[in-house]
């Protein structure tokens, strides 16, 4: 059985000097510096991650990717092939902040998923409902609809991240029951649509912290964590990685 995957998502944070100190502290932490842990940094810092992580088992991840797979006249874009070329292993696709602020829709995300897989990257496909959708009892309908984009890469290797939008950055983590219900739904839909071969992991994201990681990561339906704010400091991120390590 695969171990629990912990990815830190720095979002739009970082400066070269501060990154170096943080990354070196991560390398020195045996709970962090191991297979099954990675960091998703902003594009300008991915090469720095690759250089610092070189020789370790820590994975480099990107936070986004172009929907256009072939090189060409797409000013400002970064292709999956470029991310693969600099050593990225994972790429976040469809994060709620990209859906919200950059109007990424199903058609766009399908192209991004296909581009990532074609370049040998492992997509981490993000789904999750808003507070209004949760409170109106529509979370299963919304997440089910978001999962349909995975049809674009049926049979390929990927990871899903369930991140209820109302838990992101709010400190209001989803309850263990809510997390398990959502993860069971996602696992059921994916296995139904893509067959048992789709041995995917479903990460939970949304206010994962040192003090709630044990409970969340002990759930069998949780295949790991996608960590925002807590990945910007080594102590808390190390505790989360330790919680994942304990489940091995
Ligand atoms: O969006 C997230 C990770 O991608 C979650 O962010 P927080 O851990 O800061 O809630």
């Amino acid at each position: 059985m695969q171990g629990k995957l912990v990815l830190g998502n720095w979002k739009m944070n970082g400066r070269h000097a501060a990154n170096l100190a943080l990354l070196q502290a991560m390398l020195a932490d045996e709970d962090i510096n191991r297979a099954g842990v990675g960091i998703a940094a902003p594009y300008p810092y991915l090469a720095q991650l690759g250089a610092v992580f070189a020789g370790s088992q820590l994975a480099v991840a990107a936070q986004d990717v172009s929907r256009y797979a072939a090189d060409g006249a797409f000013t400002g874009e970064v292709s999956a092939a470029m991310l693969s070329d600099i050593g990225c292993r994972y790429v976040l696709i469809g994060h709620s902040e990209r859906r919200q602020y950059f109007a990424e829709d199903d058609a766009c995300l399908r192209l991004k998923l296909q581009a990532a897989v074609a370049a040998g990257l492992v997509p981490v496909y993000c789904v999750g409902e808003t507070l209004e959708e949760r409170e109106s009892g529509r979370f299963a309908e919304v997440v089910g609809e978001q999962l349909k984009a995975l049809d674009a890469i049926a049979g390929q290797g990927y990871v899903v991240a369930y991140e209820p939008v109302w838990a992101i950055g709010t400190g209001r983590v989803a309850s263990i029951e809510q997390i398990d219900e959502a993860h069971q739904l996602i696992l059921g839909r994916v296995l139904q649509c893509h067959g048992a071969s789709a041995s995917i992991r479903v990460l939970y994201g949304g206010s994962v912290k040192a003090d709630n990681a044990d409970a969340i990561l002990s759930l069998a339906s949780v295949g790991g964590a996608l960590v925002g704010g807590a990945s910007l400091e080594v102590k808390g991120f190390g505790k989360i990685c330790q919680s994942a390590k304990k489940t091995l």
Side-chain angles (χ1 to χ4, degrees):
M1 186 182 120
Q2 298 177 100
K4 307 255 181 177
L5 173 64
V6 178
L7 293 178
N9 175 10
W10 285 359
K11 302 193 180 183
M12 192 170 80
N13 291 292
R15 293 293 184 278
H16 197 271
N19 295 350
L20 188 57
L22 175 56
L23 294 169
Q24 286 173 335
M26 287 183 174
L27 279 179
D29 184 318
E30 64 180 18
D31 290 322
I32 299 174
N33 185 0
R34 59 184 179 81
V37 178
I39 294 291
Y43 287 139
Y45 300 122
L46 290 176
Q48 181 184 25
L49 254 68
V52 176
F53 286 177
S56 79
Q57 296 183 78
L58 281 163
V60 178
Q63 296 177 17
D64 187 30
V65 65
S66 175
R67 74 189 76 179
Y68 302 106
D71 290 354
F74 306 107
T75 302
E77 290 286 273
V78 177
S79 74
M82 292 171 180
L83 296 176
S84 185
D85 186 44
I86 63 167
C88 280
R89 179 166 182 195
Y90 298 99
V91 57
L92 307 185
I93 292 176
H95 191 282
S96 61
E97 290 151 7
R98 302 239 20 113
R99 294 173 190 258
Q100 180 183 359
Y101 301 128
F102 305 99
E104 294 194 349
D105 61 10
D106 183 84
C108 162
L109 296 173
R110 285 171 182 262
L111 292 173
K112 291 190 174 204
L113 287 164
Q114 289 173 326
V117 167
L121 300 172
V122 178
V124 179
Y125 181 60
C126 302
V127 298
E129 79 285 0
T130 64
L131 184 60
E132 187 277 325
E133 291 161 345
R134 163 63 62 173
E135 289 179 341
S136 60
R138 293 178 48 236
F139 101 89
E141 173 197 337
V142 168
V143 170
E145 199 57 35
Q146 291 173 335
L147 288 171
K148 287 180 180 174
L150 289 169
D151 294 348
I153 55 168
Q156 305 296 323
Y158 57 82
V159 174
V160 176
Y162 170 61
E163 295 200 309
V165 178
W166 46 272
I168 295 174
T170 61
R172 181 181 170 189
V173 65
S175 72
I176 291 301
E177 293 72 24
Q178 289 171 325
I179 296 172
D180 196 39
E181 180 188 27
H183 281 231
Q184 296 286 4
L185 167 90
I186 294 165
L187 286 165
R189 291 286 177 88
V190 166
L191 294 180
Q192 180 187 18
C193 299
H194 300 177
S197 61
S199 59
I200 67 139
R201 283 180 284 201
V202 183
L203 313 184
Y204 171 76
S207 294
V208 176
K209 306 294 182 192
D211 62 2
N212 59 34
D214 271 350
I216 293 169
L217 289 164
S218 63
L219 284 171
S221 62
V222 172
L226 185 52
V227 182
S231 69
L232 292 168
E233 56 86 22
V234 67
K235 192 166 179 290
F237 190 60
K239 179 64 180 66
I240 295 166
C241 293
Q242 186 185 70
S243 295
K245 192 175 173 182
K246 283 193 291 192
T247 66
L248 289 175

